[in-house]
């Protein structure tokens, strides 16, 4: 499944370039998602942020328009996204990842927009276990908070290969296993 995901992103990037559609966000609602993920960031002083599943680092541009002192890092599995992002933002750190457990530093904030929307395996159960493990690892690397988005189960259509999270289940997991903040 990972190879299929890589292929879908590569096709979108080659077709649409450095745009929301190039990272499979066709509805051009990135700013709404970015605002929801970052609205509780304090703008006082410098802060570090890891963008997990950073794609083409569109969040960096958004953050720069709202905050002056962002120390942005991106983590991504697509080599072509990493190379494009490094060219755009040579002052930033970008990590290729197999697992967040490979990180050896902490960040004030960790956000992820859309990184869990496609199934990584043929099994939803296995995918969910991987997602919860990744969230746990990322939480351990955040100094202030982690913020993620998911597609909800409460929809009238689910695209094949997509993952829709039960919101109550993820809320329960995070508040009971990680933090109530």
């Amino acid at each position: 499944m990972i190879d299929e995901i890589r292929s879908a992103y590569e096709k979108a990037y080659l077709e649409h370039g450095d745009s929301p559609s190039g990272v499979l966000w066709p509805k051009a609602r990135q700013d709404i998602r970015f605002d929801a993920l970052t609205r509780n960031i304090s703008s006082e002083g410098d802060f570090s942020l890891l963008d997990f599943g950073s794609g083409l680092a569109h969040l960096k541009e958004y953050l720069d328009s709202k905050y002056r002192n962002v120390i942005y890092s991106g983590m991504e599995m697509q080599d072509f996204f990493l190379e494009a992002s490094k060219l755009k933002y040579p002052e930033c750190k970008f990590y290729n990842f197999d697992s967040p457990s490979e990180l050896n530093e902490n960040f004030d904030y960790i956000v992820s927009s859309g990184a869990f929307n496609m199934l990584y395996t043929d099994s939803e159960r296995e995918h969910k276990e991987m997602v919860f493990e990744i969230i746990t690892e990322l939480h351990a690397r955040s100094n202030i908070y982690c913020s993620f988005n998911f597609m909800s189960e409460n929809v009238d259509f689910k695209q094949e290969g997509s993952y829709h999270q039960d919101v109550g289940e993820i809320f329960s997991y995070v508040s009971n296993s990680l933090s109530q903040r």
Side-chain angles (χ1 to χ4, degrees):
M1 298 286 299
I2 293 290
D3 288 339
E4 292 170 14
I5 293 170
R6 289 180 196 272
S7 178
Y9 277 108
E10 185 172 21
K11 181 180 176 191
Y13 178 59
L14 291 173
E15 185 174 334
H16 302 287
D18 189 352
S19 69
S21 295
V23 291
L24 297 174
W25 286 108
K27 294 184 181 177
R29 296 176 48 158
Q30 273 189 329
D31 285 355
I32 294 169
R33 285 187 290 278
F34 293 163
D35 181 62
L37 291 167
T38 63
R39 70 174 53 130
N40 294 315
I41 290 177
S42 170
S43 60
E44 300 296 319
D46 292 352
F47 64 89
S48 61
L49 182 139
L50 175 67
D51 183 2
F52 180 80
S54 56
L56 291 164
H58 293 150
L59 179 61
K60 166 75 169 130
E61 182 178 344
Y62 174 85
L63 291 168
D64 286 347
S65 74
K66 295 187 69 101
Y67 306 101
R68 282 196 243 140
N69 302 313
V70 182
I71 303 164
Y72 175 93
S73 298
M75 191 171 207
E76 176 59 56
M77 70 178 191
Q78 307 288 359
D79 291 333
F80 48 91
F81 285 166
L82 285 169
E83 293 309 313
S85 296
K86 287 176 185 177
L87 287 173
K88 280 195 321 190
Y89 301 111
E91 73 280 10
C92 297
K93 291 183 186 178
F94 290 94
Y95 304 91
N96 192 330
F97 74 90
D98 288 320
S99 167
S101 63
E102 297 169 14
L103 284 171
N104 57 10
E105 64 183 292
N106 283 13
F107 301 86
D108 294 321
Y109 303 99
I110 298 177
V111 301
S112 182
S113 181
F116 307 118
N117 290 351
M118 295 174 130
L119 289 171
Y120 300 161
T121 72
D122 290 328
S123 163
E124 275 198 35
R125 183 188 55 75
E126 286 178 25
H127 177 82
K128 180 172 64 174
E129 289 172 4
M130 288 173 62
V131 167
F132 283 31
E133 181 179 310
I134 290 168
I135 288 171
T136 301
E137 291 172 358
L138 291 173
H139 179 266
R141 291 288 178 197
S142 68
N143 297 328
I144 300 173
Y145 80 68
C146 292
S147 184
F148 307 95
N149 63 16
F150 293 93
M151 293 191 296
S152 168
E153 278 195 330
N154 302 321
V155 295
D156 57 2
F157 173 77
K158 292 183 182 180
Q159 184 175 349
E160 184 178 337
S162 66
Y163 177 68
H164 294 258
Q165 176 62 50
D166 177 314
V167 176
E169 181 180 29
I170 192 72
F171 179 80
S172 177
Y173 174 74
V174 169
S175 61
N176 291 327
S177 301
L178 301 179
S179 174
Q180 294 185 2
R181 61 180 163 105

